[in-house]
Amino acid sequence: MAPQRDNYESSRAADERRNNFITHLSMDEDTEKLLHNSTNSDHPTSFLRYFLTSSGPPQIITLCLLIALALGSTVGVVPAVVEDRYARLNHGYTGEPCLQIKMGERPQECMLGNDDAQNSAAMTSFISNSLTFSTSSLMGSISDERGRRGIILLGIGLSLLGPMFLVLMQLDDSISPFPFYASHAFSGIVSWMAVALSSLSDVIRSEWRAPAFGMVLAGFSMGFALSPILAVVMSHLMVSIFALIILVGGFIFACFYMPETLSPESAAQARLNRLSERPPMNTQADVWKYNLMRPAKELMILNRNKLFRLLSALAFFSGCIGSADHTLFLYYVEENFGFNDSDIATLFLIIGVMGIFVQTVILKPFNSLVGERRVVIVSFLVGSLCNYLYGVAETKRTIFVSATLASLTGMSFPTISAIKSNNVDEMEQGRIQGALYSLQSLASALGPLLLRYVYNETKDGGGFGRGTMFIFGAGLYLVATLFAWALPEEEANSNYKKYHAKKRSSLVPRSERQDGLNYGSTQDA
């Protein structure tokens, strides 16, 4: 039996060598390498193994988990604390905490306090995102030249201010919510998330970037899934202190364990590229002019081609409604559906678990099957449906069902980030991520104000009633879907070149090839 087994193994090895030889004759070196990588990348375990063993991605996921755990634990605390504080400071309320009173029995002072809280949240979002719009592209460009780590640490450090003032506000009844909202607004000057995505792009290859960015959102989803439960078993003050401790721990973790993912060679090349683009500066006035105009110049990368212009439109319209949903949704369900801490904990548990499932189980195979372009289209259509359901909902059950479906909308952010990352070289990763994040931040600044205006105009019976702002948001998602449909497939889909490379075979005659090279076609003979 041994000689037969040896003959079988020898025959099998010969067949493999023959197939490799034919493949080598049938295509150029780049295509052969592309197909080899595509074969290896089709296995989910290959992606997860590479992601978890790389230097940078595991640390970023850990940071996202800690930050989401901290911020998510206070997501139900902030509306309750701020609404009650505004009712007491601005409208003379002296009774028991507003959210402890049943929905139909709340006094007018509490309702007015809720309006003040929503207006403050919308204005804070506007200021924060305006700052991000002004600085994100510049921060991204600087990270291309100087490295990612320092900017990430600065952004996380600024995010500590809001939770600190939330704790102080509960310790001292005379403190206004203004310092809390002001610190949140100021933290928008450095958006560490855009730089973190650039850091992932430094070490993740193109066809894995969408699921890799999805893993970042999965980290956030896991934190948000677990954190609101704390508000059920702990007091608002204890939850706020816990969140602050977690954020401080995350900052310390980043200081000691966050690596620099940008290679020295890429940083040096990026600096040379920026110097070549810099105009002559002969006076100090020229230096000031260049520095003041640089953020605007960095944004011009968005006008480079049709793809980037379409991505800019996607970022704007989706950012408008996405930010409004995140900013105003909790205030809306607390005021109109009587959501309490237990309801919010259940809601975020559902959102978190579904977010983890979508980002870790659905996104990668779905992206490999249909491509990034169709993933974005499906995400926006689902977003439009969910916002419509928010607007016409009459019961808590509809809100829970809509929020469950809305997790599919989360596929759009990592996918759009992957498309823009795949269409620039490694020296411009920070620049393009920052520029599109800037535009999305502008939309995020305008979105809550726009929907808040629609709400104020319709809450007393106009349009579809209090839910009209979400129906309006559903329309914006449909507009974004049209722009997603217009994306050029050959540039948007990372597997487009791979798919067409597989169609090249030895049966294509030389006369039909654009390059005229001989790949060993049987028809060339």
Side-chain angles (χ1 to χ4, degrees):
M1 294 298 293
Q4 291 181 1
R5 182 163 56 248
D6 292 341
N7 291 336
Y8 169 76
E9 293 175 351
S10 300
S11 176
R12 185 177 180 183
D15 288 340
E16 291 179 355
R17 288 194 299 270
R18 187 181 303 109
N19 290 335
N20 291 336
F21 178 70
I22 292 174
T23 301
H24 177 70
L25 289 178
S26 301
M27 58 192 67
D28 57 16
E29 182 180 351
D30 291 338
T31 303
E32 183 180 356
K33 181 178 179 181
L34 182 63
L35 294 186
H36 176 72
N37 288 340
S38 71
T39 301
N40 293 336
S41 64
D42 286 340
H43 299 286
T45 55
S46 300
F47 162 69
L48 290 175
R49 187 184 306 112
Y50 183 84
F51 186 92
L52 295 175
T53 57
S54 299
S55 178
Q59 289 85 351
I60 292 175
I61 292 294
T62 303
L63 282 175
C64 291
L65 175 61
L66 293 175
I67 291 174
L69 185 63
L71 298 182
S73 62
T74 61
V75 73
V77 174
V78 172
V81 172
V82 172
E83 174 186 335
D84 187 77
R85 185 59 51 89
Y86 273 130
R88 297 177 189 280
L89 294 181
N90 294 354
H91 306 288
Y93 180 64
T94 57
E96 60 181 310
C98 289
L99 285 187
Q100 292 183 7
I101 305 174
K102 294 182 179 180
M103 183 62 203
E105 301 176 1
R106 290 181 187 175
Q108 182 66 19
E109 292 88 347
C110 289
M111 304 299 289
L112 293 174
N114 184 276
D115 286 341
D116 291 343
Q118 290 193 55
N119 290 333
S120 296
M123 182 57 65
T124 297
S125 177
F126 175 78
I127 297 174
S128 175
N129 286 290
S130 296
L131 290 173
T132 301
F133 169 74
S134 302
T135 62
S136 185
S137 59
L138 178 60
M139 291 295 174
S141 183
I142 292 174
S143 76
D144 286 335
E145 303 173 25
R146 305 295 177 185
R148 322 288 190 197
R149 184 175 182 272
I151 296 178
I152 291 176
L153 292 178
L154 178 59
I156 296 175
L158 290 176
S159 69
L160 298 175
L161 297 177
M164 180 184 71
F165 281 111
L166 181 62
V167 172
L168 294 177
M169 186 167 57
Q170 295 174 80
L171 293 175
D172 187 345
D173 292 340
S174 64
I175 295 180
S176 165
F178 175 77
F180 167 75
Y181 283 119
S183 60
H184 265 295
F186 182 71
S187 66
I189 199 168
V190 178
S191 176
W192 69 273
M193 178 52 68
V195 181
L197 295 181
S198 302
S199 184
L200 287 179
S201 299
D202 293 335
V203 296
I204 301 293
R205 63 193 200 210
S206 60
E207 65 267 27
W208 283 348
R209 283 175 184 165
F213 296 156
M215 291 289 286
V216 173
L217 290 190
F220 274 110
S221 297
M222 184 177 296
F224 278 110
L226 300 175
S227 54
I229 300 175
L230 298 174
V232 178
V233 298
M234 300 169 64
S235 68
H236 287 168
L237 176 59
M238 293 305 298
V239 169
S240 302
I241 294 174
F242 172 82
L244 181 60
I245 292 173
I246 291 295
L247 279 177
V248 172
F251 180 72
I252 294 174
F253 170 82
C255 289
F256 285 96
Y257 296 104
M258 182 67 197
E260 177 56 65
T261 58
L262 185 68
S263 67
E265 295 78 13
S266 296
Q269 185 61 49
R271 288 193 293 270
L272 289 176
N273 291 346
R274 299 299 185 274
L275 287 174
S276 66
E277 297 172 357
R278 181 179 298 180
M281 292 183 289
N282 301 318
T283 64
Q284 189 63 34
D286 291 335
V287 175
W288 279 102
K289 180 180 178 181
Y290 171 78
N291 290 328
L292 290 174
M293 294 298 296
R294 185 176 174 183
K297 291 182 180 296
E298 299 292 351
L299 285 172
M300 294 306 294
I301 191 175
L302 299 178
N303 196 40
R304 175 175 290 179
N305 53 38
K306 176 184 177 182
L307 174 68
F308 285 6
R309 287 189 287 271
L310 287 172
L311 288 175
S312 300
L314 287 178
F316 183 81
F317 284 103
S318 63
C320 272
I321 183 58
S323 175
D325 282 352
H326 294 153
T327 303
L328 303 176
F329 178 70
L330 282 182
Y331 295 98
Y332 173 75
V333 296
E334 285 184 352
E335 180 180 358
N336 295 282
F337 296 91
F339 268 53
N340 53 31
D341 287 344
S342 179
D343 293 324
I344 293 173
T346 302
L347 179 67
F348 275 84
L349 180 62
I350 293 173
I351 293 174
V353 171
M354 285 299 300
I356 295 171
F357 179 76
V358 168
Q359 301 298 337
T360 60
V361 178
I362 295 180
L363 179 56
K364 187 181 187 303
F366 188 47
N367 182 72
S368 299
L369 179 65
V370 303
E372 283 86 348
R373 174 176 169 269
R374 289 181 177 85
V375 170
V376 175
I377 292 173
V378 171
S379 299
F380 286 164
L381 288 175
V382 173
S384 180
L385 172 63
C386 293
N387 272 267
Y388 175 78
L389 292 176
Y390 290 152
V392 300
E394 296 181 355
T395 64
K396 290 182 180 181
R397 178 178 297 179
T398 305
I399 296 295
F400 284 122
V401 172
S402 304
T404 302
L405 293 175
S407 299
L408 292 171
T409 308
M411 294 189 297
S412 63
F413 175 76
T415 306
I416 293 173
S417 299
I419 293 174
K420 59 189 179 184
S421 176
N422 292 342
N423 283 275
V424 296
D425 59 36
E426 61 181 4
M427 279 79 73
E428 292 183 314
Q429 291 294 332
R431 187 180 185 184
I432 185 60
Q433 296 285 1
L436 269 173
Y437 213 86
S438 288
L439 187 62
Q440 191 170 22
S441 296
L442 176 63
S444 298
L446 297 175
L449 294 179
L450 181 60
L451 264 69
R452 187 67 185 152
Y453 171 78
V454 174
Y455 176 80
N456 288 331
E457 293 295 318
T458 58
K459 66 179 181 180
D460 296 324
F464 294 91
R466 291 174 176 265
T468 304
M469 63 175 177
F470 290 108
I471 297 177
F472 177 78
L476 291 183
Y477 262 128
L478 290 179
V479 174
T481 303
L482 295 177
F483 283 105
W485 185 266
L487 287 172
E489 194 165 8
E490 65 276 11
E491 296 176 285
N493 293 345
S494 61
N495 61 359
Y496 182 88
K497 183 178 178 182
K498 181 194 312 179
Y499 171 76
H500 285 273
K502 289 180 179 179
K503 294 169 66 176
R504 178 189 287 175
S505 73
S506 61
L507 297 179
V508 180
R510 184 189 308 176
S511 60
E512 296 181 11
R513 301 191 197 106
Q514 295 180 356
D515 53 17
L517 297 177
N518 186 352
Y519 293 103
S521 169
T522 57
Q523 296 188 28
D524 289 336

